[in-house]
Amino acid sequence: MLHFKCQHTPPLNLIRTKPPPSPCGARLSSAVAVNGRPLVLLFSAAGSLLMANVRRSRPLTVSAAKSSQSTTTIDPPSDDNKIKGTLVLMKKNLLELIDLRASLIDGVHELLGKSVSLRLISAVNTDPGNGNQAKIGKPAYLENWITKFTPLTAEECAFEVNFDWDEKIGVPGAFIIRNEHGSEFYLKSLTLGNVPGEGKVHFDCNSWVYPADKYKKDRVFFTNKTYLSSETPVGLKKFREEELVTLRGDDVKKGELQKWDRVYDYAYYNDLGSPDKGEKYARPILGGSTEFPYPRRGRTGRPATKKDPNSESPLPLIESLFIYVPRDERFGHLKMSDLIAYALKSISQILKPDELATLLGHQKEFNSLEDVLKLYEGGIELPDGLMRFVSSTTPAETVKELFRTDGERLLKFPVPQVIKEDKSAWRTDEEFAREMLAGLNPVSIHRLQEFPPASKLDRNVYGDQTSKINKEHIADKLDGLSIDEAINKNKLFILDHHDSLMPYLERINKTDLVKGYASRTLLFLTNDGTLKPIAIELSLPHPGGVGCTSEVYTPSSQGVESHIWQLAKAYVAINDSGYHQLVSHWLRTHAVIEPVIIATNRQLSVLHPIHKLLHPHFRDTMNVNAVARQILINAGGVLENTVFPAKYSMEWSSVMYKNSWVFPEQALPKDLIKRGMAVEDSSASHGVRLLIEDYPYAADGLEIWSAIKTWVEEYCSFYFKTDEMVQKDSELQSWWKELREEGHGDKKDEPWWPKMQTVEELIESCTIIIWTASAYHAAINFGQYPYGGYPANRPSISRRFMPKEGTPEYEQLKNNPEKAFLETVTPQLQTLLGMASIEILSRHSADELYLGQRDSQEWTTDTKILQASENFRNKLKALEERVTKMNKDDKLKNRTGPVKMPYTLLYPTSDPGLTGKGIPNSVSI
C-alpha cells in the first residue's frame, strides 16, 4: 500500500474555484484562484481571454443545446433521501511538486461536466432481468473539486459525495469510480455514514485511479469485509473475478507496459546485462534453465537489446527510478526522494570508474586507519572536478545532504555504531566471532559435527576438498577437551565459505581487481558463552585443476604473525560480506518474495482473507527490486564494483538458489535446527533449545517468530475452520499452485513444497512469508551501515593474496601493517561507493510502517481479527522491553560485545533514519 504524509507549507495557494454565470457567447476554460483571489478564465466566441470572479458550490453538468454553442447549467440534487459519503484522495503530485498543467486541465473538465463519478454496487440484491447481476445505483459526483485547496505537496483531501438512496440496492458491497479528468489521483478511502439497515460502510482503496480512457473497464473497489471465494455475495462475484483478470493482464497486449497498466506478470532476470555496450557487460539470463534457476521478477515488457533478442534493454539512470511496476507498488514521494539520493550517491552509475579515478586524483588507497576515521570526523576533501560535476547535476539541498559540505568540499559520513564507543575493539577475536551471532550476517554459522570438516562438492569434478585443519592446529585451544569431547559437548562451530566459493574462485580471481580465497573458520564456545576463533583455513583451486591448496592460520598476538592473523580474519570477513549481500540478503529476501507478491495479486482477491493478511508485507518491494535491477545488481552496477564475486555476483546467487534454497527451511526454528544451532525440545518455550544460549539473533528472532505465528494462527483459524475449507478454496489453491509452478517455476518439482491441504500448512507458509519479508530482512539489512560503515570491520574486496615470507609485501606487513592491510582490502574508491550505498540502504524512511502496523485502522470489519491484531502489537511492544532488558544484562556478553554495541536489529519499531533497529512490515529498501 502507498502511504503519504506531508507537512510542507506551499508558497503558492492555487485553488480551483466556482465560476459565475458566463458572459454571453463565452465558453468556460478554467477556474483558478491565486493566493486566495478567485478568478475564472474564459474565452469568448471570438477567442479573447476574459476574467471574472467566481462563485460555485456544486459541480456543473453539460447538456447539449440545439445551437452551435453548448450551454452550462447547474443540476442541483435534492438533499432528500441521500446517502452521505466522504471520499479521501490525494491529487496528482510528482516528487512533491504539483502538476500545474494537470490541475488546470482537471479544472476545465470539472467545469465542462467531466467529473469524478461513483456508483454503488449492491452486495445483497441482484437484478433477475440482467442475468442476476448486482444492482447498481445511479451516478453520484464528487463535490467541490475545483474549490478544494490542493497544496504543493502530497496531502490528503476529503470530498463530499451524496448518493441517491435506492432501497433496491440494499447494503453496498462495492462501488464503481470513473475519472473523467485528465490526470490521475490517489484514492485512499470512501466512507458511507448512514446506510439504512447497516450504518457506516467503509471502503479501503489505497490505489491510483487514472483517467477512464486508460482503462478497458471502470475501476471497482470493495468494502473492507472479508469473503472466502465460495462466500462471495452473488452480485459481487462477477466484479471479483473481473478484477483478477485485469490484474493478471489477460486483456492487455504484450509489449511494454505503461504506468497506468495494473498488470502483475512474470519474467526471467533477463535485464541484468547490457550486451549492446559490449561483451564485458553481457550477463546470463537467470531463471528458466537448469544451469541458472532463479525466482521470477515482475514483467515490464521493455524491448529487447539489439545484440541479444532474449535480453531486455536497460533504462538510462534517471529513468530507472520510474521503471514499470504496477502503479500501486510504486514508492510514495518520501521513499522516492530517498532513492534519488541513493542513485546520486552511487557515483559509479553517474561516471565510468576510470573517470572517477581521475576526478579523485591518484590517491587510490587509504594510507592509514586514521585516514578512514577522517570520513566521519572531518571528511575527506574532494577534487574540484568531482564537486563541479556533482554540483552541476544535483539540486543544492541534495548536494548538502550528500556531502554535508557547508561550503567545504568534504565527503563526510555518520559514525558507524561499531566504532562509536571504541575505535579499536573491532580488531579483537571476540568481536570477530560475536558478529557471527549478533552482527550483519548471523545466519551462516553452523555447529561442527565432524572433524576435519568435510566437503559436499563432487569429488569427480573438484577432487578432494576436505579441510586441512588438523588436531595440531586446535588441540591446545579447547580448554582441555579433546576434539571429540568438544564436538559431543556442542563446543565447536564453523563459518564455512568453502564449498559455495570454490567452484567460482578461479574465475573470480581472474577479474581485474579480486584475489580471494575460499575459507573455513573454526570457533570454540567458551564457558562465558562467547566464541573464540581457533583456526582459519584459506584455500585456492589446485594449479593442476583438481583439489585445492590450503593454508591454516591460528591466533597470534605478537609480531608479524599477529598481522597475518588479522589479514586472515579480513579474508573471512570479505567472503562473509559477499555471501551476506548476494545470498542472505538479496536472494533470500528480495528475490524470493517478489513472486509471492505477483501470485497474490493475480490469484487472491482483495476480499480474500489471505490477501488482507499478506498485503502489508509487500509494500515497496517490487519497486525496490526493479530499481535494484537497473543500478545495483546489474552489469557494472554498485554490487559488482563493491563485492568480491564482481561480474559473477548474480550468477553465483543463482547457483546458491539452486543448491540451498528450500522454502520450509526459511522458518527460523527449522533453519536453526538445520544449522545445528538448536535442537528440538518440547519443554522449551518455542519448541527448540538454543545450543548457544546467548545467540542474540536467534534469541530475539524466536520471540518475533512466535509472535508472528500466533497472530497468523489466530487469523487463519478464524476463516478456515477445517482442512477441507483450505482444500476447496479455489483462489487459495490457484495462488499456491501458481507460486510454485510459475513464481518459483525452476523448483516446482521439489518434494519439499507444502501441499496446501491443511490449515497448519497454510499457517506455516504464511508465517514464513511474513517472517522473511519483515524480521529476517530487518536483521540482515539494517545493520549494514552500523557494522559495515567502517570498512576495516567488514571489507568486501581483497586485491592481493596473503603475503609470503621473502616478498616485498611481507616486509611491508612487518614494517607498516596498517598500510599493508589497507592495500589488501577494498580500495578507497570502492570503499566510498560501498559506504554511500549501505548508508542509504540502512535508513528508515519517514513513512515506514513497522511490523504489526497498518496504514488504515479499518482494514477489516471482523472485530475478533482486529482484537488479535491489537494483541500482536502489544506482544511486540513487550518484546521491545525484553530486548532493552537483555542488552543491559552483563552475563549476556554477546548482546553488546567489546564494541559496546547493543543488539537491536530485531527491536520492532524505530524512528526514521539510521538507527540500527526497527522491523518494517516489508522488504521496503
Side-chain angles (χ1 to χ4, degrees):
M1 295 183 184
L2 297 172
H3 184 72
F4 298 81
K5 291 181 180 178
C6 189
Q7 298 175 347
H8 301 288
T9 302
L12 174 66
N13 296 338
L14 182 69
I15 310 172
R16 265 69 103 226
T17 59
K18 300 166 281 190
S22 305
C24 184
R27 53 188 177 89
L28 291 167
S29 175
S30 179
V32 299
V34 179
N35 290 333
R37 297 175 60 188
L39 300 171
V40 64
L41 307 181
L42 306 100
F43 289 93
S44 69
S48 59
L49 177 66
L50 303 175
M51 289 188 180
N53 290 329
V54 293
R55 295 290 184 268
R56 177 171 176 253
S57 59
R58 295 189 181 277
L60 299 175
T61 58
V62 177
S63 58
K66 292 183 179 180
S67 67
S68 60
Q69 301 290 332
S70 62
T71 59
T72 303
T73 60
I74 296 178
D75 182 19
S78 168
D79 288 332
D80 298 329
N81 208 22
K82 295 285 186 183
I83 295 180
K84 297 183 182 297
T86 301
L87 188 140
V88 179
L89 59 77
M90 286 177 283
K91 299 181 183 182
K92 180 184 177 184
N93 290 271
L94 181 62
L95 295 179
E96 302 188 10
L97 294 178
I98 193 167
D99 187 331
L100 298 177
R101 178 176 177 273
S103 299
L104 291 172
I105 292 175
D106 289 350
V108 172
H109 288 163
E110 266 304 303
L111 293 166
L112 296 179
K114 294 182 177 180
S115 183
V116 177
S117 64
L118 300 90
R119 290 182 293 164
L120 299 179
I121 302 173
S122 176
V124 293
N125 295 325
T126 58
D127 185 355
N130 190 26
N132 281 326
Q133 294 189 22
K135 290 276 190 182
I136 300 177
K138 297 179 181 179
Y141 296 91
L142 221 58
E143 299 187 10
N144 301 325
W145 179 281
I146 61 175
T147 64
K148 182 67 68 173
F149 166 73
T150 302
L152 294 181
T153 52
E155 186 174 294
E156 296 174 4
C157 299
F159 293 84
E160 289 185 6
V161 57
N162 289 287
F163 297 90
D164 290 328
W165 167 243
D166 182 350
E167 62 183 15
K168 295 179 181 178
I169 294 291
V171 179
F175 71 90
I176 299 170
I177 187 166
R178 184 174 180 84
N179 177 13
E180 295 286 3
H181 289 165
S183 60
E184 68 271 23
F185 55 81
Y186 182 76
L187 180 57
K188 185 171 179 64
S189 65
L190 171 66
T191 304
L192 307 179
N194 58 339
V195 177
E198 186 74 10
K200 180 180 176 181
V201 175
H202 183 79
F203 303 80
D204 253 353
C205 305
N206 296 304
S207 181
W208 285 90
V209 178
Y210 275 80
D213 62 0
K214 302 299 184 185
Y215 300 128
K216 292 186 177 180
K217 294 183 178 179
D218 292 337
R219 294 292 308 277
V220 175
F221 292 93
F222 300 92
T223 66
N224 56 352
K225 291 188 176 181
T226 305
Y227 299 104
L228 297 177
S229 315
S230 59
E231 297 172 348
T232 313
V234 175
L236 298 182
K237 283 186 177 181
K238 169 178 172 289
F239 295 100
R240 180 172 183 156
E241 293 167 358
E242 287 180 348
E243 176 74 356
L244 290 175
V245 168
T246 297
L247 295 173
R248 287 194 290 266
D250 294 351
D251 56 352
V252 175
K253 294 180 180 178
K254 295 296 182 182
E256 186 165 7
L257 294 168
Q258 303 301 313
K259 61 182 180 180
W260 51 81
D261 288 325
R262 303 172 57 236
V263 174
Y264 293 80
D265 202 359
Y266 302 98
Y268 301 137
Y269 276 69
N270 66 345
D271 60 345
L272 301 179
S274 299
D276 291 346
K277 292 171 62 176
E279 184 62 28
K280 178 181 177 181
Y281 293 95
R283 297 292 181 270
I285 294 171
L286 306 185
S289 69
T290 56
E291 183 179 13
F292 298 122
Y294 219 60
R296 303 300 186 255
R297 65 166 175 93
R299 178 171 75 87
T300 67
R302 294 198 313 280
T305 60
K306 295 176 182 178
K307 290 188 177 180
D308 182 3
N310 295 317
S311 292
E312 193 169 273
S313 57
L315 292 172
L317 172 65
I318 194 63
E319 292 181 30
S320 66
L321 295 177
F322 303 97
I323 185 174
Y324 173 81
V325 292
R327 185 65 177 91
D328 293 340
E329 303 296 338
R330 292 192 63 78
F331 303 129
H333 70 291
L334 293 176
K335 182 62 68 67
M336 182 62 79
S337 298
D338 289 345
L339 263 293
I340 286 178
Y342 165 58
L344 290 170
K345 290 189 84 167
S346 300
I347 307 173
S348 65
Q349 299 300 311
I350 301 174
L351 293 177
K352 296 178 181 178
D354 55 345
E355 293 174 334
L356 271 170
T358 300
L359 288 173
L360 285 169
H362 299 291
Q363 182 191 8
K364 296 183 179 180
E365 314 293 345
F366 293 106
N367 289 315
S368 67
L369 291 176
E370 284 298 318
D371 283 350
V372 179
L373 291 175
K374 289 178 183 177
L375 292 172
Y376 323 107
E377 296 172 349
I380 61 172
E381 188 171 349
L382 296 175
D384 287 332
L386 181 56
M387 279 306 299
R388 280 197 301 270
F389 174 81
V390 175
S391 297
S392 67
T393 58
T394 309
E397 285 302 310
T398 305
V399 171
K400 183 177 179 180
E401 170 61 22
L402 295 182
F403 299 105
R404 299 164 176 88
T405 57
D406 296 327
E408 301 179 13
R409 300 194 309 274
L410 298 179
L411 178 61
K412 185 179 178 183
F413 290 88
V415 179
Q417 287 175 269
V418 75
I419 59 167
K420 188 168 287 187
E421 298 296 327
D422 189 321
K423 291 181 174 60
S424 61
W426 64 274
R427 291 174 174 266
T428 64
D429 287 357
E430 183 182 340
E431 179 60 24
F432 171 73
R434 184 191 80 92
E435 290 185 20
M436 300 178 197
L437 302 174
L440 186 51
N441 188 38
V443 297
S444 293
I445 187 171
H446 287 65
R447 178 165 53 91
L448 186 67
Q449 301 185 53
E450 60 178 336
F451 186 86
S455 170
K456 295 181 180 179
L457 293 175
D458 187 344
R459 275 179 173 261
N460 294 324
V461 178
Y462 299 102
D464 184 8
Q465 296 284 335
T466 303
S467 174
K468 304 303 189 293
I469 302 175
N470 59 41
K471 178 180 178 180
E472 285 69 29
H473 291 125
I474 65 172
D476 61 344
K477 301 173 180 64
L478 305 180
D479 290 356
L481 299 175
S482 70
I483 293 175
D484 287 341
E485 287 173 333
I487 290 176
N488 292 333
K489 290 180 178 292
N490 303 319
K491 289 281 192 175
L492 285 176
F493 296 83
I494 184 170
L495 182 67
D496 193 340
H497 291 309
H498 182 95
D499 284 5
S500 62
L501 282 174
M502 186 57 71
Y504 269 83
L505 199 54
E506 186 172 2
R507 281 173 284 176
I508 290 171
N509 282 343
K510 288 180 180 178
T511 58
D512 295 337
L513 188 65
V514 178
K515 298 292 181 287
Y517 297 93
S519 64
R520 293 183 176 107
T521 305
L522 262 58
L523 306 108
F524 179 75
L525 180 64
T526 65
N527 291 331
D528 66 0
T530 63
L531 291 172
K532 66 176 182 180
I534 56 176
I536 291 174
E537 178 183 24
L538 301 180
S539 305
L540 290 170
H542 195 282
V546 179
C548 65
T549 62
S550 298
E551 293 287 342
V552 178
Y553 303 91
T554 55
S556 177
S557 59
Q558 295 182 351
V560 69
E561 288 80 11
S562 67
H563 307 320
I564 289 174
W565 175 245
Q566 202 69 32
L567 271 182
K569 292 192 293 182
Y571 287 115
V572 173
I574 287 163
N575 288 348
D576 200 53
S577 293
Y579 190 90
H580 158 263
Q581 200 64 269
L582 295 166
V583 181
S584 301
H585 182 198
W586 169 262
L587 172 64
R588 292 182 179 170
T589 61
H590 291 262
V592 302
I593 285 294
E594 184 159 1
V596 180
I597 300 171
I598 297 170
T600 300
N601 282 279
R602 285 169 57 87
Q603 299 296 342
L604 293 178
S605 165
V606 294
L607 292 168
H608 198 282
I610 300 304
H611 188 287
K612 289 181 183 288
L613 172 68
L614 297 180
H615 189 262
H617 305 287
F618 301 156
R619 185 175 187 252
D620 290 343
T621 304
M622 288 189 72
N623 209 161
V624 166
N625 288 1
V627 173
R629 294 197 309 272
Q630 298 297 303
I631 64 176
L632 186 67
I633 62 174
N634 59 314
V638 174
L639 276 187
E640 287 195 357
N641 280 296
T642 56
V643 296
F644 73 90
K647 65 178 290 187
Y648 298 104
S649 292
M650 290 302 291
E651 181 180 327
W652 182 55
S653 79
S654 168
V655 174
M656 293 299 99
Y657 175 69
K658 178 181 181 179
N659 294 339
S660 65
W661 188 80
V662 176
F663 178 77
E665 292 175 359
Q666 307 314 298
L668 178 60
K670 290 183 179 178
D671 169 64
L672 293 170
I673 291 170
K674 178 189 177 184
R675 292 192 284 118
M677 303 301 292
V679 293
E680 292 188 41
D681 185 343
S682 58
S683 65
S685 57
H686 306 295
V688 296
R689 176 170 53 85
L690 293 176
L691 296 182
I692 300 179
E693 183 180 351
D694 185 14
Y695 183 178
Y697 162 75
D700 293 357
L702 285 171
E703 295 291 336
I704 299 292
W705 169 270
S706 178
I708 293 172
K709 188 163 186 179
T710 299
W711 153 240
V712 173
E713 188 170 19
E714 291 179 7
Y715 186 94
C716 291
S717 299
F718 179 80
Y719 296 105
F720 295 91
K721 307 295 185 186
T722 65
D723 294 342
E724 185 180 18
M725 293 179 71
V726 172
Q727 297 161 14
K728 291 187 175 180
D729 190 291
S730 59
E731 287 186 4
L732 186 68
Q733 293 302 318
S734 295
W735 168 66
W736 194 246
K737 175 182 172 65
E738 182 170 291
L739 175 57
R740 293 191 333 268
E741 297 183 1
E742 297 292 337
H744 285 277
D746 298 329
K747 284 182 170 280
K748 64 181 179 181
D749 296 323
E750 297 286 358
W752 40 253
W753 281 107
K755 306 301 181 185
M756 201 54 68
Q757 295 295 298
T758 67
V759 177
E760 181 54 39
E761 285 181 320
L762 176 62
I763 292 169
E764 183 76 359
S765 297
C766 290
T767 304
I768 289 173
I769 292 168
I770 294 172
W771 161 261
T772 301
S774 59
Y776 175 81
H777 178 259
I780 295 298
N781 182 75
F782 291 102
Q784 290 191 78
Y785 193 83
Y787 284 103
Y790 185 62
N793 184 54
R794 293 287 292 185
S796 59
I797 292 175
S798 54
R799 295 173 287 153
R800 64 187 189 187
F801 294 122
M802 183 72 80
K804 298 291 185 182
E805 192 168 1
T807 64
E809 290 82 4
Y810 192 86
E811 290 302 311
Q812 183 190 43
L813 188 62
K814 284 200 302 184
N815 299 321
N816 192 345
E818 279 193 9
K819 181 69 172 174
F821 179 91
L822 292 168
E823 287 190 3
T824 300
V825 299
T826 320
Q828 187 186 70
L829 173 59
Q830 279 81 2
T831 294
L832 298 179
L833 294 175
M835 290 173 63
S837 300
I838 64 174
E839 182 192 348
I840 295 295
L841 295 176
S842 302
R843 289 182 176 273
H844 293 293
S845 63
D847 63 349
E848 197 73 85
L849 290 174
Y850 296 94
L851 187 60
Q853 297 177 354
R854 295 262 177 170
D855 59 1
S856 170
Q857 300 302 312
E858 299 182 85
W859 61 278
T860 181
T861 57
D862 296 317
T863 55
K864 288 186 177 179
I865 295 301
L866 290 173
Q867 183 58 56
S869 179
E870 179 67 20
N871 295 342
F872 179 40
R873 287 190 294 275
N874 290 337
K875 186 172 292 186
L876 294 173
K877 185 66 177 176
L879 291 180
E880 293 184 342
E881 298 175 2
R882 178 181 179 276
V883 168
T884 301
K885 181 179 179 181
M886 293 178 70
N887 285 341
K888 295 178 180 178
D889 189 340
D890 293 337
K891 295 179 181 178
L892 301 176
K893 296 182 180 298
N894 295 326
R895 300 292 306 190
T896 55
V899 293
K900 301 175 184 176
M901 179 179 173
Y903 185 75
T904 56
L905 290 174
L906 287 173
Y907 189 94
T909 60
S910 173
D911 294 327
L914 196 62
T915 65
K917 63 180 181 179
I919 304 176
N921 268 326
S922 61
V923 182
S924 59
I925 189 64

